[in-house]
Structures are given as structure tokens and as C-alpha cells.
Amino acid sequence: MREEAERAKAEAEHKAKEEAERQACEQAEKDRAEVQWRAAEVAARQRALAQEASKKRAREEPEAGPSGDWSDNAR
């Protein structure tokens, strides 16, 4: 009788350990997916900001003259 109780206890502990490991793996996968989602959001925002900055620079920079125009520098 005592052996059966010990075996049942060990089996219950084993099942509890397996369940805890399964839950930990599941949570880790959820966390990983959330991190990937946030990284994608950050990357998209960075691309948008870079495009915005590029457009702003293009509006602010004066148009360049012909590349062979040395008249101002020849004097």
C-alpha cells in the first residue's frame, strides 16, 4: 500500500513538472511572438521616419546646378 502511494505521488509530481514545463514553453513562445511583433512595428516606424526625413531634406536642399558649372569657382 505504501509503495502505491509513493508511486502515485511520484507520478503526480512528474505530471505537475511536465505541465509546468509545457506552460513555460507556451509562455516563452507567446513572449517571443510579442517581441517579434514589436520589433516589426519599430522597424516599420524607423522606415517611415527615414522616408519622412529624406522627403524633408529633398524639400529643403536647393536644387544643384549643372555639374560642369565652375564659373563661380574659376574666379
Side-chain angles (χ1 to χ4, degrees), residues 4-71:
E4 287 180 28
E6 288 177 5
R7 192 174 316 135
K9 180 182 175 184
E11 187 176 318
E13 288 173 352
H14 180 72
K15 285 183 179 182
K17 182 179 177 183
E18 283 182 337
E19 178 62 17
E21 288 176 356
R22 185 193 67 74
Q23 288 178 356
C25 287
E26 188 176 296
Q27 186 62 47
E29 186 61 35
K30 287 179 183 177
D31 293 346
R32 187 173 17 261
E34 183 177 347
V35 167
Q36 289 174 340
W37 175 260
R38 288 185 182 190
E41 286 181 327
V42 168
R45 183 67 181 144
Q46 287 176 334
R47 283 191 301 274
L49 289 172
Q51 287 176 345
E52 214 173 278
S54 178
K55 288 177 184 177
K56 184 177 179 182
R57 278 193 308 274
R59 285 191 305 266
E60 291 175 353
E61 291 177 1
E63 288 189 31
S67 60
D69 186 8
W70 291 79
S71 59

